[in-house]
C-alpha cells in the first residue's frame, strides 16, 4: 500500500492509504486525532478545519496526497490543557461552546486569522469564521473571544 | 465572565462504592472504552423515588450525583451539581456527576421541553434536601442535641452555636440512605445561597476547546467495525436487488441486507464510505409525498382531521361597537430540520443476551424500551450510555443511528459504529412538522380585544408513544412502534392578554408529510409567531403603539415588567406601526413580541431592530433585545448562553429554513440547499436576565425561541409596511410582498 509521510502537530507520521484521494480528515481521525470533526464532507460547514502551512483548510476537501510534506496542525496540536494556545484560553474564558461540535473548526479558523492579523476588526473575524457553521448559537461568544485575545476587550 | 470558581474537570469516572462493591466506570478516552464496556454495574438503586437513586456520599468525602437527564451543551453538568451542592451543604468541588446511563442513573424522563432544571433539577434538589435532613438527624443522635441546633455546611453537620462537626462521610459514607424523596424536606432559604445563582463555568467547555472531549463520533471499541447505511432514493421505496459484486474492489467491506435495510460494514472507515457510495442497488419507485406548493391548502382541507376545542374563555359581547374592526389572517410555519452540524452517529455492541449502545440521544430510558423491543431482549439487558453529540434540539438522527448500529452489530457479531452522511442527516432526520394557523379577531377603537379565535392545523401526536418509529427496524421488518410524535405543538395558541372572548380550536391531522419529531420548543415558535403577529395587526388596525396596546390588556406583573424593560433598552418611541418611511431604499423599523411560555413557565419579551433592503428584499436584523424571566436562576451564564442560542437558532429558522421535497424525497440535503445563519448575519444581542430567587426555576432552553418570529415580522412591518405571514422570510418572499404592496 502506498505510504504518505505527513507532518502533523510537529511530528512526522507515516500513513498507508490505497487511495491517494483519501481526505485528510479521515487520515487525522484514523490516527486518533478526533478533535477535527466530520460535519458534511462537502466543504460547507468548517467543522473539519485544520491549519495547513498556517492557513485554515477544510480537511475534508484536502487529500492525503496533497497534504504530503506540509505542516498540519489540529486542535490537539495548537495547545494542551497544561499549555493552551491563547485562542483556546479565550474560548474557555468566554465559555464559547455549547455542544462544542463546531468549536474545533472555529478555533482553527480564528488561529489562522490571528496569525495573519494581530488585531482583526469585528468584520474580519466574522468573515474569517463565516465558513464555520454553528447550530447552537455560540457565534456571539466566539467573536468576543477573538476580540479579547487580540486585546480588544469592549 | 467573572467566575468565582475555577473550571473543574469532572471526569466521567464515577467511583461509587456501594456496600462492599466498588465499581470504576470510565469513559474519558478511547483507550478506556474497553473498561467502560467491561465494567460490572454495581447494584444501583434506580427507583426515582429513592434518595439513593440520585445521590451517594462516598467514603472519600465526595458526593456523586446521578442524573437521568443529559447535558446536550445546555449546561446541566454544572447547574445540577450547583443545585445538589447547595441543598446538601457541600462544596461544588466535591460533587461528581454521572449522567444518562440506564445502568447507573434513574429514569428522569427525556431531556426535553426545557425541563432539565425545572423538573430534573428539582427532583435532585428534593433528594438533596431529604439527604441533608437525614444527615442532620443522624448527627443530632450522635451529638445528643436537637436537629434544629445543627446546620449542614461544607460537607459536615455542626452545631449552629459553634463547635466540632461530623463529616458527611463519617455519618453515611459508602452507605445507603434507604429513604424515599421527602416532598416536605425543608429547602434552603434562597437568601442563604452561595453556589446557586453563580455563573460557574461549565466543566465540559475546556475539553471541547483543547480537543480532549470524547463525542460519540470519537468513541471506539476494540474489534469495532465501521458501517454506512444506504437509505433508499425515495422515502417509501423497497429494495429490489443488490449487486454485491459492485463493491468487490473494497477489501474487507461486506454488504448486510435485512429486507429493505441495506448497509455496508468494513474495517476501515474511508474504505467503507467509498463502498457505500459505489454499491449498486435497485429500489422500487415511490412517490407518496404531498405536493409541497399546495401543502398549506392540503392541510386546511384535510377531511380526515378531527377537531378539538382547546380554549374557550369569556363570553362574546354582542352587538359589538360600530367602530370595532374585524381582522383575519393565516400564518404558516414550514417543515424544518434539526440541522445538527455533526451527522448522527452511534456505537453498539449487541451480544446474544445483552446489548450496550452508546448514543447522544436525549432519551436514554425511553430508548431502552424501544431498542429492547426490536432486539427481542429484556429491557434490563439493554444498556444505553450517553456520550456527547452534536447539538440535536429534539430528536435528530441520533435515535435512528443507534438503532442502525444495534441492528448491524447483531448481524455481524461485532461492535459496530454507524456514521450518517450529511445527506442522511438532512434527508432522514425526523422533521419539525409544518403548522398552519388561522386567526380572526375583533378590536375596539380603544384597543380592547373583543373577540379572538385561533384555528390550528397540525399533526397529532399518537398517545403514549415513547419514541418515534425508527428507520432501521422499519426497513428490516423488526418490531417497531407506529405513530407520530410532534411534541406539545398546540400550546400558546391563545394570546396572553385579556379579551372578552377567546377560542382556540385545533384540527388534528392524522399525518405529517415527513416523519415528524419534536424540534426545539415544539410548535411554540409557530404559534407565538401567529398570535403575536396578529396582536400587532390588531394594534395597527386600532392605530395604537404595539407596546401600549399590549400593556393595556396584560395583567401579569412579571410580563409587564419585561415589556417595560425591553422598551427602555430599545429607547422605544411610542407611535403606531408602520413607521413613517416605509418606502425608503433601506427601510428601518422596530418590533416586539411577548411570550408566557406554555402560559405557565418562563416569561420573555423581545424587541428587534431591522433594516429591509428594498432592491434585494434582504432583511438585516441589526439588534435583538431580550428580557427574560425564568424564575430562580441557577447559573446566569448558562441561562444567557441558552437565550443567545434560542434567539440565533430561531432567527435562522425564520429567515432561512424550509425543508424542500418533491413527491419522492427530501431535496434539502446539504447546507447549500438548506442554509442556516452564518457569522456575517448574526445581530447584536442585548439580553437582560431577571432573577427571581424565591420563585421556582423554569426552563431557559426554549422560551426565547417562541418570541423570535413575531418580533421579527413586526419589525419588518414597522420598517417596510409589509406583513410577513409565511416562514421563512427569504429575500424572494419579502420582495414579492414589497412589490404587491407597491402595485
Ligand atoms: S466537514 Fe469539511 S467542511 Fe464540513
Ligand atoms: S456549539 Fe453546537 S454546533 Fe456550535
Amino acid at each position: 500500500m502506498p505510504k504518505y509521510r505527513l507532518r502533523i502537530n510537529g511530528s512526522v507520521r507515516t500513513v498507508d492509504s490505497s487511495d491517494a484521494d483519501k481526505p485528510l480528515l479521515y487520515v487525522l481521525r484514523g490516527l486518533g486525532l478526533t478533535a477535527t470533526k466530520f460535519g458534511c464532507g462537502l466543504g460547507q460547514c468548517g467543522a473539519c478545519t485544520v491549519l495547513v502551512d498556517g492557513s485554515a483548510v477544510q480537511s475534508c476537501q484536502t487529500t492525503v496526497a496533497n497534504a504530503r510534506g506540509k505542516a498540519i496542525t489540529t486542535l490537539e496540536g495548537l495547545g494542551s490543557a497544561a499549555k493552551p494556545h491563547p485562542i483556546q484560553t479565550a474560548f474557555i474564558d468566554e465559555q464559547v461552546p455549547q455542544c462544542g461540535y463546531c468549536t474545533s473548526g472555529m478555533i482553527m479558523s480564528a488561529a489562522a486569522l490571528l496569525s495573519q492579523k494581530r488585531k482583526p476588526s469585528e468584520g474580519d473575524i466574522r468573515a474569517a469564521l463565516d465558513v464555520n457553521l454553528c447550530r447552537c448559537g455560540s457565534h456571539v461568544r466566539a467573536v468576543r473571544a477573538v476580540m479579547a485575545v487580540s486585546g480588544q476587550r469592549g | 465572565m467573572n467566575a468565582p470558581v475555577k473550571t473543574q474537570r469532572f471526569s466521567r469516572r464515577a467511583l461509587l462504592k456501594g456496600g462492599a462493591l466498588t465499581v470504576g466506570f470510565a469513559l474519558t478516552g478511547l483507550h478506556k472504552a474497553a473498561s467502560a464496556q467491561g465494567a460490572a454495574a454495581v447494584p444501583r438503586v434506580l427507583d426515582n423515588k429513592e434518595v439513593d437513586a440520585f445521590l451517594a456520599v462516598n467514603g472519600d468525602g465526595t458526593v456523586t450525583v446521578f442524573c437521568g437527564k443529559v447535558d446536550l451543551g445546555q449546561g446541566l453538568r454544572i447547574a445540577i451539581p450547583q443545585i445538589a451542592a447547595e441543598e446538601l451543604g457541600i462544596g461544588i468541588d466535591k460533587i461528581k456527576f454521572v449522567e444518562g446511563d440506564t445502568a447507573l442513573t434513574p429514569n428522569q424522563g427525556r431531556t426535553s421541553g426545557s425541563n432539565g432544571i425545572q423538573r430534573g433539577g428539582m427532583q435532585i434538589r428534593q433528594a438533596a434536601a431529604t439527604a441533608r435532613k437525614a444527615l442532620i438527624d443522624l448527627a443530632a443522635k450522635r451529638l445528643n442535641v436537637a436537629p434544629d441546633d445543627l446546620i449542614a455546611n461544607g460537607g459536615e453537620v455542626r452545631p449552629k452555636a459553634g463547635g466540632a462537626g461530623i463529616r458527611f462521610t463519617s455519618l453515611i459514607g459508602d452507605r445507603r440512605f434507604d429513604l424515599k424523596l421527602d416532598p416536605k424536606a425543608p429547602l434552603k432559604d434562597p437568601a442563604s445561597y452561595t453556589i446557586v445563582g453563580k455563573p460557574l463555568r461549565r466543566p465540559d467547555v475546556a475539553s471541547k476547546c483543547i480537543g480532549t472531549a470524547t463525542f460519540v463520533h470519537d468513541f471506539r471499541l476494540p474489534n469495532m467495525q465501521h458501517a454506512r447505511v444506504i437509505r433508499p432514493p425515495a422515502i417509501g421505496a423497497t429494495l429490489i436487488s443488490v449487486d454485491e459484486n459492485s463493491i468487490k474492489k473494497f477489501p474487507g467491506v461486506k454488504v448486510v441486507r435485512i429486507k429493505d435495510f441495506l448497509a455496508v460494514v468494513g474495517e476501515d472507515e474511508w474504505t467503507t464510505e467509498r463502498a457505500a457510495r459505489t454499491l449498486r442497488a435497485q429500489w422500487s419507485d415511490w412517490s407518496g409525498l404531498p405536493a409541497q406548493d399546495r401543502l398549506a391548502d392540503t392541510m386546511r382541507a384535510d377531511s380526515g382531521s378531527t377537531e378539538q376545542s382547546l380554549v374557550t374563555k369569556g363570553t362574546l359581547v354582542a352587538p359589538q361597537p360600530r367602530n370595532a374592526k374585524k381582522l383575519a389572517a393565516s400564518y404558516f410555519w414550514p417543515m424544518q430540520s434539526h440541522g445538527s452540524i455533526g451527522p448522527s452517529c452511534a456505537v453498539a455492541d449487541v451480544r446474544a443476551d445483552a446489548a450496550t449502545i452508546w448514543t447522544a440521544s436525549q432519551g436514554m430510558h425511553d430508548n431502552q424500551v424501544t431498542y429492547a423491543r426490536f432486539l427481542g431482549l429484556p429491557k434490563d439487558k439493554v444498556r444505553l450510555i450517553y456520550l456527547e453529540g452534536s447539538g440535536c434540539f429534539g430528536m435528530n438522527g441520533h435515535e435512528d443511528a443507534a438503532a442502525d448500529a444495534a441492528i448491524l452489530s447483531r448481524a455481524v457479531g461485532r461492535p459496530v459504529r454507524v456514521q450518517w452522511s450529511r445527506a442522511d442527516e438532512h434527508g432522514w432526520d425526523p422533521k419539525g412538522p409544518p403548522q398552519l394557523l388561522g386567526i380572526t379577531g375583533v378590536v375596539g377603537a380603544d384597543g380592547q380585544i373583543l373577540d379572538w379565535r385561533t384555528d390550528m392545523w397540525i399533526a397529532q401526536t399518537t398517545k403514549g408513544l415513547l419514541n418515534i418509529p425508527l428507520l432501521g427496524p422499519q426497513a428490516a421488518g423488526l418490531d417497531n412502534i407506529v405513530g407520530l410524535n410532534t411534541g406539545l405543538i398546540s400550546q400558546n395558541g391563545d394570546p396572553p392578554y385579556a379579551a372578552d372572548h377567546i377560542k382556540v380550536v385545533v384540527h388534528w391531522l392524522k399525518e405529517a408529510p415527513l416523519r415528524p419529531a419534536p424540534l426545539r420548543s415544539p410548535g411554540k415558535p409557530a404559534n407565538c409567531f401567529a398570535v403575536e403577529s396578529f396582536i400587532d395587526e390588531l394594534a395597527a388596525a386600532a392605530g395604537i403603539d404595539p407596546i401600549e396596546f399590549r400593556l393595556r390588556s396584560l395583567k401579569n406583573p412579571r410580563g409587564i415588567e419585561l415589556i417595560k424593560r425591553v422598551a427602555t433598552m430599545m429607547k422605544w418611541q411610542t407611535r403606531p406601526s408602520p413607521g413613517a418611511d416605509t418606502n425608503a431604499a433601506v427601510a428601518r423599523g422596530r418590533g416586539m413580541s411577548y411570550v408566557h411560555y406554555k402560559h405557565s413557565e418562563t416569561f420573555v419579551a423581545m424587541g428587534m431592530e431591522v433594516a429591509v433592503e428594498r432592491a434585494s428584499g434582504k432583511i438585516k436584523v441589526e439588534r435583538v433585545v431580550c428580557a427574560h424571566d425564568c424564575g430562580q436562576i441557577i447559573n446566569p451564564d448558562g441561562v444567557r448562553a441558552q437565550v443567545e442560542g434560542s434567539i440565533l437558532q430561531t432567527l435562522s429558522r425564520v429567515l432561512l429554513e424550509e425543508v424542500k421535497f418533491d413527491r419522492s424525497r427530501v431535496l434539502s440535503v446539504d447546507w447549500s440547499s438548506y442554509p442556516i445563519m452564518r457569522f456575517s448575519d448574526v445581530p447584536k444581542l442585548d439580553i437582560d436576565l431577571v432573577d427571581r430567587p424565591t420563585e421556582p426555576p423554569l426552563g431557559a432552553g426554549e422560551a426565547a425561541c417562541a418570541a423570535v418570529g413575531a418580533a421579527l415580522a413586526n419589525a419588518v412591518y414597522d420598517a417596510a409596511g409589509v406583513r410577513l405571514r409565511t416562514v421563512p422570510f427569504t429575500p424572494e418572499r419579502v420582495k414579492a410582498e414589497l412589490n404587491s404592496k407597491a402595485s
Side-chain angles (χ1 to χ4, degrees):
Chain A
M1 219 184 284
K3 291 197 186 310
Y4 299 86
R5 276 165 66 87
L6 304 177
R7 276 193 295 145
I8 304 172
N9 296 334
S11 43
V12 174
R13 309 286 289 258
T14 307
V15 295
D16 300 334
S17 180
S18 54
D19 179 17
D21 291 335
K22 180 173 182 169
L24 176 60
L25 172 64
Y26 285 78
V27 175
L28 295 171
R29 292 186 57 83
L31 290 169
L33 296 167
T34 53
T36 308
K37 294 288 184 270
F38 166 69
C40 64
L42 306 165
Q44 295 177 340
C45 76
C48 64
T49 307
V50 297
L51 301 183
V52 175
D53 287 343
S55 300
V57 162
Q58 293 171 354
S59 64
C60 73
Q61 300 296 300
T62 307
T63 63
V64 63
N66 278 332
R68 191 165 24 194
K70 299 188 177 133
I72 297 151
T73 309
T74 70
L75 185 67
E76 293 96 336
L78 203 58
S80 62
K83 251 188 121 197
H85 184 282
I87 186 66
Q88 291 174 312
T89 306
F91 265 61
I92 296 168
D93 287 346
E94 296 294 342
Q95 295 279 288
V96 177
Q98 289 190 29
C99 81
Y101 200 86
C102 66
T103 305
S104 167
M106 270 190 199
I107 291 179
M108 300 317 283
S109 293
L113 171 70
L114 289 167
S115 70
Q116 282 144 25
K117 224 174 191 169
R118 232 165 33 88
K119 275 195 192 307
S121 69
E122 192 177 323
D124 293 335
I125 298 168
R126 285 171 180 253
L129 295 183
D130 221 35
V131 299
N132 296 99
L133 293 179
C134 173
R135 189 55 162 169
C136 301
S138 70
H139 308 77
V140 177
R141 289 167 184 241
V143 172
R144 213 162 50 213
V146 187
M147 295 293 277
V149 77
S150 50
Q152 308 183 79
R153 189 119 243 181
Chain B
M1 194 186 82
N2 241 340
V5 171
K6 278 279 168 222
T7 307
Q8 300 130 24
R9 300 283 307 279
F10 289 88
S11 84
R12 279 171 184 271
R13 183 189 305 270
L15 272 175
L16 58 129
K17 296 179 186 167
L21 275 171
T22 303
V23 168
F25 184 71
L27 272 183
T28 41
L30 308 186
H31 57 288
K32 291 188 181 150
S35 69
Q37 169 65 20
V42 75
R44 284 268 311 139
V45 176
L46 295 175
D47 177 355
N48 61 19
K49 298 195 180 52
E50 296 283 334
V51 171
D52 297 310
F54 297 100
L55 296 171
V57 175
N58 306 315
D60 62 0
T62 62
V63 169
T64 308
V65 175
F66 297 90
C67 184
K69 304 262 185 203
V70 296
D71 191 327
L72 309 148
Q74 85 281 38
L76 289 190
R77 245 170 243 137
I78 186 67
I80 298 273
Q82 280 179 271
I83 292 170
E86 182 74 67
E87 206 55 47
L88 208 51
I90 192 167
I92 182 91
D93 55 327
K94 293 285 187 287
I95 302 283
K96 295 175 172 176
F97 187 67
V98 178
E99 65 187 310
D101 181 330
T102 56
L104 299 176
T105 62
N107 184 357
Q108 295 190 274
R110 234 165 225 290
T111 311
S112 64
S114 199
N115 66 16
I117 297 295
Q118 185 171 315
R119 290 205 237 296
M122 291 310 93
Q123 261 175 328
I124 288 173
R125 176 175 279 172
Q126 210 60 50
T130 309
R132 174 163 50 94
K133 183 169 179 294
L135 289 162
I136 288 177
D137 289 347
L138 283 171
K141 272 201 200 110
R142 264 206 225 169
L143 296 168
N144 210 6
V145 295
D148 279 355
D149 295 334
L150 298 173
I151 182 174
N153 203 349
E156 62 174 17
V157 181
R158 59 169 176 265
K160 282 178 184 163
I166 310 177
R167 316 255 1 131
F168 289 177
T169 128
S170 49
L171 289 166
I172 200 146
D174 289 343
R175 277 174 295 133
R176 289 187 179 159
F177 285 94
D178 283 323
L179 270 180
K180 295 252 181 281
L181 293 201
D182 175 5
K184 294 210 193 69
L187 297 177
K188 265 196 182 167
D189 177 1
S192 70
Y193 282 173
T194 57
I195 302 169
V196 162
K198 296 279 186 300
L200 305 189
R201 291 178 172 201
R202 285 170 279 135
D204 48 314
V205 164
S207 64
K208 288 169 179 173
C209 296
I210 298 298
T212 50
T214 303
F215 289 74
V216 68
H217 304 74
D218 310 329
F219 183 71
R220 303 284 185 275
L221 288 172
N223 199 32
M224 183 190 86
Q225 289 198 299
H226 291 274
R228 296 289 186 270
V229 177
I230 294 109
R231 304 280 176 217
I235 286 173
T238 52
L239 184 54
I240 296 167
S241 64
V242 185
D243 175 8
E244 298 199 16
N245 281 331
S246 60
I247 59 159
K248 250 197 357 227
K249 63 174 176 180
F250 299 106
V253 183
K254 287 208 176 59
V255 172
V256 175
R257 178 188 177 174
I258 308 168
K259 291 198 166 175
D260 297 322
F261 181 82
L262 181 62
V264 290
V265 183
E267 306 299 327
D268 172 66
E269 184 173 12
W270 176 242
T271 310
T272 309
E273 164 90 35
R274 286 170 73 208
R277 293 183 196 177
T278 310
L279 183 69
R280 276 201 299 268
Q282 209 194 340
W283 300 84
S284 69
D285 287 335
W286 184 88
S287 53
L289 292 178
Q292 179 155 35
D293 53 354
R294 295 197 300 275
L295 188 57
D297 295 338
T298 313
M299 288 164 72
R300 195 190 292 266
D302 193 327
S303 57
S305 67
T306 49
E307 208 173 288
Q308 185 189 357
S309 173
L310 290 182
V311 182
T312 314
K313 273 197 285 206
T315 42
L316 197 56
V317 183
Q320 284 166 353
R322 279 236 318 265
N323 55 6
K325 289 193 174 126
K326 182 165 182 170
L327 270 63
S330 288
Y331 302 86
F332 183 73
W333 192 284
M335 200 156 38
Q336 295 179 327
S337 167
H338 295 79
S340 296
I341 301 302
S344 294
C345 181
V347 176
D349 185 1
V350 178
R351 315 269 171 98
D353 56 348
T356 311
I357 300 169
W358 288 264
T359 164
S361 162
Q362 297 180 191
M364 296 291 119
H365 290 83
D366 290 357
N367 291 342
Q368 191 185 21
V369 178
T370 316
Y371 296 180
R373 210 167 117 166
F374 75 74
L375 288 173
L377 288 169
K379 186 185 111 180
D380 59 353
K381 293 290 176 213
V382 177
R383 179 179 185 182
L384 278 96
I385 300 173
Y386 176 76
L387 286 178
E388 307 255 8
S390 176
C392 53
F393 307 103
M395 289 179 212
N396 65 351
H398 287 332
E399 272 82 3
D400 291 303
D404 291 343
I407 292 171
L408 286 166
S409 173
R410 186 166 67 175
V412 302
R414 286 170 62 178
V416 168
R417 170 182 183 271
V418 167
Q419 168 72 67
W420 279 21
S421 70
R422 173 48 43 205
D424 289 340
E425 188 68 29
H426 262 106
W428 294 90
D429 84 311
K431 304 294 186 284
Q435 290 171 263
L436 174 66
L437 292 103
I439 308 183
T440 57
V442 181
V443 63
D446 57 350
Q448 170 72 7
I449 304 169
L450 304 171
D451 190 20
W452 178 290
R453 178 181 164 118
T454 304
D455 285 273
M456 12 176 117
W457 288 267
I458 44 178
Q460 185 166 29
T461 290
T462 310
K463 275 208 177 57
L465 208 65
L466 267 185
N467 216 308
I468 49 171
L470 296 168
L471 298 173
Q474 177 134 331
L478 300 172
D479 197 356
N480 196 22
I481 48 178
V482 201
L484 306 182
N485 185 351
T486 56
L488 301 169
I489 57 172
S490 67
Q491 297 163 319
N492 283 107
D494 48 330
Y497 312 100
D500 287 355
H501 179 244
I502 296 178
K503 193 161 177 58
V504 178
V505 175
V506 58
H507 308 262
W508 291 116
L509 309 175
K510 293 201 176 57
E511 279 171 65
L514 297 166
R515 184 177 58 142
L519 170 56
R520 195 179 201 171
S521 184
K524 273 74 80 182
N527 298 343
C528 296
F529 160 58
V531 168
E532 280 292 303
S533 291
F534 197 74
I535 284 289
D536 241 57
E537 300 202 37
L538 293 180
I544 299 172
D545 172 82
I547 285 190
E548 173 71 34
F549 184 88
R550 285 172 171 85
L551 290 178
R552 280 189 198 181
S553 51
L554 182 61
K555 299 281 182 284
N556 193 306
R558 286 168 77 174
I560 291 169
E561 175 173 350
L562 293 192
I563 293 179
K564 288 184 171 164
R565 281 181 184 236
V566 162
T568 306
M569 283 196 282
M570 293 179 80
K571 299 198 175 68
W572 186 274
Q573 290 176 344
T574 303
R575 56 162 177 79
S577 284
D581 203 6
T582 56
N583 290 325
V586 178
R588 288 203 147 71
R590 52 40 165 184
M592 64 85 58
S593 69
Y594 163 71
V595 170
H596 185 195
Y597 200 58
K598 303 180 189 174
H599 287 308
S600 62
E601 297 180 5
T602 295
F603 302 83
V604 182
M606 191 173 289
M608 288 198 201
E609 293 166 4
V610 303
V612 181
E613 201 180 74
R614 181 156 289 278
S616 65
K618 188 168 161 48
I619 299 169
K620 174 95 185 140
V621 181
E622 298 185 321
R623 183 183 180 212
V624 180
V625 169
C626 177
H628 190 273
D629 171 358
C630 58
Q632 179 188 87
I633 294 178
I634 308 298
N635 183 320
D637 191 61
V639 170
R640 193 171 289 277
Q642 282 305 291
V643 176
E644 290 168 9
S646 296
I647 295 171
L648 295 182
Q649 186 180 94
T650 315
L651 265 182
S652 175
R653 289 172 68 181
V654 175
L655 285 168
L656 297 162
E657 299 181 30
E658 173 167 30
V659 170
K660 296 279 173 51
F661 54 91
D662 63 16
R663 305 305 285 261
S664 301
R665 65 188 66 82
V666 172
L667 302 173
S668 309
V669 290
D670 60 18
W671 295 118
S672 69
S673 49
Y674 191 87
I676 63 171
M677 180 181 269
R678 290 179 180 269
F679 271 89
S680 44
D681 290 321
V682 168
K684 181 170 170 3
L685 302 184
D686 287 313
I687 295 164
D688 182 13
L689 302 180
V690 179
D691 186 12
R692 301 197 184 273
T694 55
E695 296 287 339
L698 302 166
E702 294 186 339
C705 301
V708 169
L712 180 54
N714 296 340
V716 169
Y717 177 74
D718 187 66
V722 293
R723 185 46 75 183
L724 302 176
R725 300 191 185 92
T726 299
V727 168
F729 303 165
T730 55
E732 301 72 44
R733 191 165 271 145
V734 175
K735 230 167 114 172
E737 289 293 335
L738 288 167
N739 290 341
S740 74
K741 176 196 158 215
S743 60

